[in-house]
Amino acid sequence: MKRWAGLGMFVCGAVLSACTQSNVANNQDAAAGAASAPTGDSFVSKLPDNAPVVKVATTGTMPPFSVLDQYGNLTGYDVDVIRAIGEEEGFRIEFVKDPFSNLFNSVESGKTDLAISGISYKPERAERYALSDPYFFNPSAIMYKDNNLNIQRFEDLKGLHVGAMDGTIQYEKIKDANIARELTATRSTYLLFQQLVQGNVDAILQDYPLLKETANNHPEQKVKIVPYQDQSDPTSQQVIVMKKGNNALQAKINDGIRKIKADGTLKKIDDKWKISVEQDMATPASASATP
């Protein structure tokens, strides 16, 4: 500062005072702007500080269900859902970030109490874990971009190189069907999308909302999305996973789901995240063309 002042006295002369005041004002404005910038989680619980805590495993990598905002805070449809349930049932939420493939082990080992992150119902999961009642219609879908392909249903994947995320119902279905020429597994939806746009696979499989969100975030990539499930398929329903035998927590979660459905909270979360699967599927053009 002394060196600047000396130089200023030599160069600025009589305007030194004005230069200094302007510099200080600018520094104060910058500091005030930095202090006022929102960096923390905006969610504020109405529960007392000594309320019970439920540890929740989620990915933070599956928009729009579970994702990190620009400040590193967890946000998303499922984040809002489990927080709303906690507020209804009287427990605070403590999130633990884990890859999707680790969510189930996290619950089973007791590291966390439950997992929520775009998890679909599967009979095998119902046998091994305690599952909640369904709270969201989440159909599986196919994404492709080659105009020479005409994929309208799951069976049209025969003979193609298909990508799916490891541990998902889509991966298990295409593997069990044994119709793909080759199957590539990835650990995230974004990596799946990269495989497609780089031409490494012909088509990818994932939850419809995840594929739609990815396509909306990359409008420069002209892709087509084709759902291949309807609500009559139990595996199209999204659920929350808990440890087998944790009947008390399962009952609370199901009670919370019923409450947020009944009082309109779940509908508000739907509207906030603009997830309209039923509306999209009712419009043939949006189901099979570029979103």
Side-chain angles (χ1 to χ4, degrees):
M1 188 67 179
K2 289 181 180 178
R3 290 180 61 194
W4 182 92
L7 183 62
M9 188 176 296
F10 178 73
V11 177
C12 295
V15 296
L16 172 60
S17 175
C19 291
T20 304
Q21 289 174 359
S22 175
N23 195 43
V24 170
N26 288 337
N27 288 340
Q28 288 175 338
D29 289 344
S36 62
T39 58
D41 192 340
S42 61
F43 175 76
V44 178
S45 174
K46 67 182 181 183
L47 300 175
D49 292 341
N50 62 350
V53 174
V54 170
K55 290 187 176 182
V56 175
T58 193
T59 61
T61 60
M62 296 179 67
F65 297 119
S66 175
V67 66
L68 299 179
D69 67 17
Q70 60 181 321
Y71 304 112
N73 303 309
L74 274 166
T75 186
Y77 183 89
D78 279 350
V79 171
D80 286 352
V81 165
I82 195 59
R83 280 175 166 167
I85 292 172
E87 293 296 294
E88 288 287 350
E89 296 301 312
F91 55 79
R92 288 177 171 270
I93 301 299
E94 178 183 327
F95 288 109
V96 177
K97 285 182 288 183
D98 261 325
F100 188 87
S101 57
N102 291 353
L103 294 182
F104 303 95
N105 288 337
S106 177
V107 170
E108 200 165 32
S109 68
K111 175 184 173 183
T112 56
D113 299 302
L114 62 83
I116 183 170
S117 198
I119 300 173
S120 300
Y121 173 88
K122 269 202 324 187
E124 297 86 350
R125 289 174 182 166
E127 292 177 4
R128 187 166 180 175
Y129 307 98
L131 303 182
S132 73
D133 294 335
Y135 64 93
F136 180 72
F137 172 49
N138 186 13
S140 296
I142 304 160
M143 177 188 280
Y144 69 102
K145 63 176 299 184
D146 189 343
N147 290 330
N148 294 320
L149 296 176
N150 183 25
I151 302 174
Q152 298 296 325
R153 53 182 187 159
F154 183 82
E155 289 74 18
D156 292 337
L157 297 171
K158 184 175 181 179
L160 300 181
H161 186 172
V162 179
M165 201 169 93
D166 190 28
T168 61
I169 62 169
Q170 294 87 9
Y171 179 84
E172 296 300 328
K173 182 176 177 66
I174 189 68
K175 181 181 177 182
D176 292 344
N178 197 30
I179 60 174
R181 181 183 80 251
E182 189 175 347
L183 177 58
T184 294
T186 70
R187 291 175 61 86
S188 73
T189 303
Y190 180 74
L191 291 176
L192 262 186
F193 186 68
Q194 287 297 302
Q195 289 287 314
L196 180 67
V197 299
Q198 291 171 6
N200 297 329
V201 298
D202 299 312
I204 59 175
L205 307 179
Q206 182 55 289
D207 298 335
Y208 175 79
L210 297 179
L211 293 180
K212 182 181 177 183
E213 180 78 6
T214 303
N216 288 342
N217 289 336
H218 298 275
E220 74 281 1
Q221 299 294 338
K222 304 306 179 184
V223 297
K224 296 183 179 181
I225 304 175
V226 182
Y228 61 84
Q229 284 182 308
D230 59 35
Q231 296 203 51
S232 65
D233 186 339
T235 63
S236 70
Q237 302 298 324
Q238 199 155 291
V239 295
I240 299 169
V241 175
M242 293 150 281
K243 190 172 184 177
K244 195 76 169 178
N246 195 345
N247 299 329
L249 180 59
Q250 186 181 26
K252 278 185 170 294
I253 293 297
N254 285 337
D255 185 57
I257 290 172
R258 285 191 292 272
K259 287 177 179 176
I260 66 173
K261 283 182 177 180
D263 68 9
T265 299
L266 190 60
K267 178 62 167 60
K268 290 178 182 177
I269 297 173
D270 289 345
D271 293 341
K272 173 184 174 180
W273 292 100
K274 297 179 173 61
I275 300 180
S276 55
V277 177
E278 293 92 341
Q279 180 179 341
D280 287 352
M281 292 183 68
T283 307
S286 65
S288 60
T290 304

